[in-house]
Amino acid sequence: FMSQKNAIINKLRSSNLRPTRQRVLIAEYLFNREKTFHFTVEKLNKILNKKENLEKISLATIYNTVSAFKKAGHLKEILTNNNTNYFDTNISSHHHFFDIDTNELEDINYNEIQVAKMPHAPKGKKFKDLEVTISVQRNKNHSWLVI
C-alpha cells in the first residue's frame, strides 16, 4: 500500500517536476479527492491563495505545474466555447456539458454519446480520442413569473 504522499510525489516526478513543497500542495489539492475536479488555472489560483492560507503560491508555479501534469497525462485539457482552458482530473475518455451561465463543466459518461458519422482524419494522422462538449444554458421560459 503506497501512501497518498508517495503517490503525489510519484505524479510530480513522472511529470519531470521536483517535488517542492508548493508543487506537492498543488498536486494534493488536485488529486486527493473522490470526485472529478474541473478547473481553470485562475480558479485554482484563487482557491490555493485564499487569504487564510499562510503559504502563497505564485501564479507562474501553478501554471507551470498544471502544464507539466497535462503534458505527463495526469490532467486533461478541455476547450470550451468561451475560449477558456479548463483542466480535468478525470483522464479517461468522457464527454462534458458546459454550462454557459455558470461556466461549469459536468461529466457525461462516454457511452451516453454515439457519433454516427466521422470525417476522415487528415493525411498522415489517426484518431486519438473523441470528446464532445455540449453547451447548455438555463431555460429562460421556465423562470417564475413575479407579479
Side-chain angles (χ1 to χ4, degrees):
F1 176 74
M2 198 167 67
S3 75
Q4 281 184 316
K5 196 79 167 171
N6 283 349
I8 290 295
I9 287 169
N10 285 348
K11 259 190 165 60
L12 284 159
R13 290 214 171 107
S14 70
S15 311
N16 291 325
L17 293 172
R18 218 163 33 84
T20 62
R21 204 166 73 237
Q22 293 187 325
R23 287 173 180 156
V24 168
L25 281 172
I26 295 168
E28 282 178 336
Y29 188 80
L30 291 179
F31 303 114
N32 285 353
R33 55 177 64 240
E34 307 247 307
K35 283 182 67 192
T36 301
F37 181 49
H38 300 112
F39 64 96
T40 61
V41 170
E42 292 74 26
K43 181 176 160 186
L44 186 60
N45 181 41
K46 261 200 193 98
I47 294 166
L48 293 173
N49 286 309
K50 282 207 287 272
K51 281 187 197 69
E52 61 270 20
N53 294 6
L54 296 172
E55 183 152 8
K56 296 284 176 251
I57 304 176
S58 78
L59 183 59
T61 299
I62 295 171
Y63 185 81
N64 292 336
T65 305
V66 166
S67 183
F69 282 150
K70 181 200 147 191
K71 220 166 142 184
H74 299 310
L75 289 173
K76 189 177 260 200
E77 188 170 14
I78 298 136
L79 299 171
T80 59
N81 64 359
N82 70 349
N83 281 334
T84 309
N85 301 42
Y86 286 80
F87 295 90
D88 190 345
T89 55
N90 177 357
I91 54 172
S92 70
S93 289
H94 64 288
H95 310 291
H96 292 97
F97 284 121
F98 176 67
D99 188 322
I100 294 170
D101 300 315
T102 62
N103 284 340
E104 297 198 349
L105 285 165
E106 191 182 313
D107 288 353
I108 302 173
N109 193 310
Y110 194 74
N111 304 328
E112 283 186 63
I113 290 180
Q114 291 180 340
V115 177
K117 193 169 184 296
M118 292 279 282
H120 291 291
K123 201 169 165 52
K125 307 271 182 184
K126 65 182 176 66
F127 289 119
K128 181 182 175 285
D129 200 0
L130 169 75
E131 284 178 17
V132 177
T133 300
I134 301 172
S135 298
V136 294
Q137 68 186 121
R138 198 170 40 255
N139 189 339
K140 308 269 191 292
N141 305 344
H142 286 97
S143 51
W144 293 99
L145 203 59
V146 180
I147 298 170

